[in-house]
């Protein structure tokens, strides 16, 4: 299995585990009386699954993004080009040759 695919699968599993912990904390703290709503309604477990799954998608994406951004090279190591700004002179004129596409006759010009 390619290393990037393996990294993605691991980060997605971590993201969904974090989502499970987050939803468990929401239920434990009974935020907005969520525990009562999930346990006492007929569609409560569907809502619980959706809460876990949709938060899992978000947390997995964030987890994968953080892991990819941490793979960057160190700035302390030498390499790359100069980062100095290049001087640009906007005061000198540049000649531009203009060629007409067709000949304009005097009668084609409306007065």
């Amino acid at each position: 299995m390619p290393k990037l695919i393996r990294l993605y699968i691991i980060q997605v599993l971590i993201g969904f585990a974090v989502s499970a912990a987050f939803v468990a904390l929401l239920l434990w703290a009974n935020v907005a009386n969520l525990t009562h709503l999930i346990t006492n309604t007929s569609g409560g477990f569907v809502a619980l699954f959706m809460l876990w799954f949709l938060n899992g998608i978000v947390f997995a994406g964030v987890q994968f993004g953080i892991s990819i951004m941490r793979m960057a090279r160190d700035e302390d190591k030498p390499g790359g080009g100069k980062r100095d700004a290049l001087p640009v002179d906007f005061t000198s004129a540049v000649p531009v040759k203009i060629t007409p596409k067709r000949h304009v006759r005097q009668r084609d010009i409306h007065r």
Side-chain angles (χ1 to χ4, degrees), residues 63-102:
Q63 182 69 28
F64 184 64
I66 289 172
S67 68
I68 289 295
M69 286 185 238
R70 290 186 63 187
M71 294 172 65
R73 290 189 305 139
D74 292 336
E75 292 295 327
D76 298 338
K77 294 180 182 177
K82 296 188 329 181
R83 289 178 170 56
D84 296 338
L86 297 175
V88 179
D89 184 20
F90 290 111
T91 60
S92 62
V94 177
V96 177
K97 182 179 179 183
I98 299 175
T99 58
K101 294 192 183 228
R102 66 178 186 91

Side-chain angles (χ1 to χ4, degrees), residues 26-44:
L26 282 177
L27 294 177
W28 177 75
N30 200 15
V31 175
N33 207 13
L34 191 61
T35 306
H36 175 73
L37 288 172
I38 287 177
T39 56
N40 292 334
T41 57
S42 61

Side-chain angles (χ1 to χ4, degrees), residues 13-26 49-60:
L13 291 175
I14 291 171
F16 276 95
V18 170
S19 174
F22 176 71
V23 171
L25 284 173
L26 282 177
F49 173 76
M50 288 177 60
L51 185 65
W52 169 74
F53 186 72
L54 295 175
N55 277 312
I57 291 172
V58 171
F59 290 145

Side-chain angles (χ1 to χ4, degrees), residues 102-111:
R102 66 178 186 91
H103 181 69
V104 179
R105 295 182 291 203
Q106 186 65 26
R107 64 182 169 156
D108 290 339
I109 301 175
H110 300 288
R111 295 180 194 221

